[in-house]
Amino acid sequence: MANRRMFSLSVIDTDKFLDMPVSSQLLYFHLGMRADDDGFVSSPKRIARTTNCGDDDLRILATKGYIIPFESGVVVIRHWRQNNQLRSDRYRETVCKNEKATLSIIDNIYIESTNEAPDSIPVGIPNDIPNSVPTGKPTVDSTTYQREPQYSIGKYSIDKSSIDKSSIELGKYRESIEKVEDRESIDNRGYGGKKERERKEPNKTSYPQYSSPSYPQSQQLEPNDIADLFNGICTTYPTVNDITQYSTALSNSLMFDRYSKADYSTIFQKAEQSSTLKARIHSEETPVDFGWILEHSKEIKDGAFDN
C-alpha cells in the first residue's frame, strides 16, 4: 500500500462536502490516507475512534455518498479513482475481493451493482499508451485477418421440429431458474430472492439484515417495525406511510446505530417531548421528520434537545 494519497478538488471543494461537520470531513481524509490501492478500508470504526470521530461521522459520509458501507464492516471510498490513480507496476489489488465484486465503475465513481453481472474494474494507469495516434484508413494484413464465413439460411435450413424441441427445453430451463430464485438468495450480501420477498412481504421494502451484538437475534428489528414504532409514539410529527423515501436513513441506522426496540422508543419519546424539535416540524430549511430524527438519533438519545 502506498504511503502517499491524493484528493481531488472536484470532490472536496464543493458545498456538499464543506456543509458536512468538520469531524466528518476529517474522517474522510483519514479514511483516504489509510485505504488500500482500490480505496477499501477494512477497519473504519477503529480509524474513527483513533481520530476522535464517531459512528455519526461514518453515517454522514455514507448518507452523503462519499463512502459505501458493506455488511462485513468494510467501507470503500466512492470517488477513489477520481482522487488517486496508480501505475500498474505499483498497484496491489485489495484483499476485499468479495466486496469489490459487487461494485461497478461509472465515470470513475464506484456504484453498487444490480443483480446483473458487474462491469470489470480496470486497474492502474495503462502502460501501453501509443506515441502517436494513427490517421487515415487502417491497413489489414490478409495473412492474419480472415473474415468469418457467412452461412446462408437457405443452405443450412432450420428444421421446425428442432425449433419446437428448443422451445420446450428453454421453457423448462426458465421454470428451473424461477424455482432457484424463489428458493435461494440472488445476492452475495444476504438479500432474499425477489419472488420470495414479494410473496412473504408484499407490502414491505426489503433491507439487508445487520446482526447486532447489543441484543439477541430474536429482538432484531425490521424497517417497518421502526416506522410503526415512530407512528405510534411521535403523533405530532408527519406520519410515515412509505418507508422507501427513508431507506438510506433506515439502512444507516440499522448498520451503524444498532439500537434495540427500547432504544428507539426512548429516542422517539424524547423527540415527542422536545418543544425545540416540534417547533421545527414545518421549517423550510431543515424540517424535522422521521428521517431527520434517525440521522440525529444519537444527539436526541443523549439529551441534546431535551426541554
Side-chain angles (χ1 to χ4, degrees):
M1 187 174 72
N3 291 323
R4 297 180 181 179
R5 296 302 187 195
M6 296 178 290
F7 298 91
S8 173
L9 283 177
S10 63
V11 177
I12 65 172
D13 193 26
T14 62
D15 288 342
K16 179 181 177 182
F17 185 87
L18 297 175
D19 282 344
M20 292 192 301
V22 174
S23 58
S24 301
Q25 299 179 38
L26 172 67
L27 181 57
Y28 180 79
F29 291 119
H30 277 284
L31 292 175
M33 289 301 300
R34 291 167 171 81
D36 61 23
D37 289 351
D38 281 311
F40 288 84
V41 183
S42 59
S43 55
K45 289 191 174 183
R46 179 182 61 81
I47 295 172
R49 289 193 300 267
T50 303
T51 56
N52 292 324
C53 300
D55 290 346
D56 282 346
D57 296 303
L58 284 170
R59 184 173 64 246
I60 290 172
L61 290 174
T63 302
K64 295 292 185 180
Y66 288 102
I67 62 174
I68 300 176
F70 296 92
E71 186 178 353
S72 61
V74 173
V75 302
V76 65
I77 298 174
R78 189 184 292 270
H79 303 87
W80 176 257
R81 294 177 64 85
Q82 289 187 357
N83 291 335
N84 296 273
Q85 286 197 351
L86 299 177
R87 294 192 63 85
S88 299
D89 58 344
R90 300 179 182 177
Y91 165 83
R92 291 187 179 181
E93 186 178 8
T94 180
V95 297
C96 306
K97 293 183 174 59
N98 292 334
E99 290 80 3
K100 182 180 178 182
T102 66
L103 299 175
S104 299
I105 291 180
I106 295 181
D107 295 333
N108 280 336
I109 298 175
Y110 281 122
I111 63 168
E112 296 174 277
S113 300
T114 60
N115 292 333
E116 300 176 357
D119 300 333
S120 61
I121 300 180
V123 297
I125 299 176
N127 293 320
D128 54 348
I129 300 176
N131 295 325
S132 62
V133 179
T135 59
K137 184 177 180 180
T139 58
V140 179
D141 186 357
S142 60
T143 61
T144 60
Y145 174 83
Q146 293 183 354
R147 188 175 180 181
E148 292 289 339
Q150 304 296 312
Y151 298 103
S152 168
I153 294 180
K155 185 177 180 180
Y156 297 93
S157 59
I158 301 174
D159 187 88
K160 182 178 182 298
S161 61
S162 65
I163 295 177
D164 295 338
K165 182 178 179 181
S166 299
S167 301
I168 294 172
E169 293 178 351
L170 179 60
K172 292 180 179 179
Y173 174 75
R174 286 175 175 171
E175 290 177 0
S176 65
I177 290 296
E178 290 178 355
K179 291 179 181 179
V180 171
E181 288 183 348
D182 283 346
R183 186 174 62 253
E184 297 181 344
S185 170
I186 60 174
D187 187 318
N188 289 334
R189 286 197 250 163
Y191 294 4
K194 179 178 180 182
K195 294 181 179 296
E196 182 180 358
R197 293 199 306 272
E198 292 175 350
R199 182 171 63 251
K200 292 184 178 180
E201 298 178 348
N203 297 322
K204 291 187 178 182
T205 301
S206 179
Y207 291 81
Q209 300 298 313
Y210 303 108
S211 61
S212 170
S214 60
Y215 49 96
Q217 182 68 26
S218 60
Q219 298 182 17
Q220 292 290 320
L221 296 176
E222 296 287 339
N224 278 293
D225 297 332
I226 301 173
D228 292 342
L229 191 63
F230 171 83
N231 288 336
I233 296 175
C234 296
T235 56
T236 307
Y237 297 87
T239 303
V240 177
N241 297 317
D242 181 12
I243 64 173
T244 56
Q245 60 181 311
Y246 305 107
S247 58
T248 300
L250 281 166
S251 296
N252 289 336
S253 182
L254 288 169
M255 174 175 287
F256 295 114
D257 296 329
R258 301 186 179 184
Y259 293 136
S260 65
K261 183 176 181 180
D263 292 330
Y264 281 112
S265 297
T266 300
I267 293 166
F268 294 152
Q269 288 171 3
K270 283 179 172 286
E272 180 65 21
Q273 296 168 3
S274 172
S275 57
T276 303
L277 294 182
K278 287 192 289 187
R280 294 168 51 185
I281 292 177
H282 303 292
S283 171
E284 294 183 359
E285 297 182 357
T286 55
V288 177
D289 58 4
F290 179 55
W292 191 96
I293 290 173
L294 289 180
E295 291 176 358
H296 298 81
S297 58
K298 187 176 185 301
E299 302 168 57
I300 298 173
K301 188 171 181 289
D302 293 341
F305 300 99
D306 290 353
N307 295 329

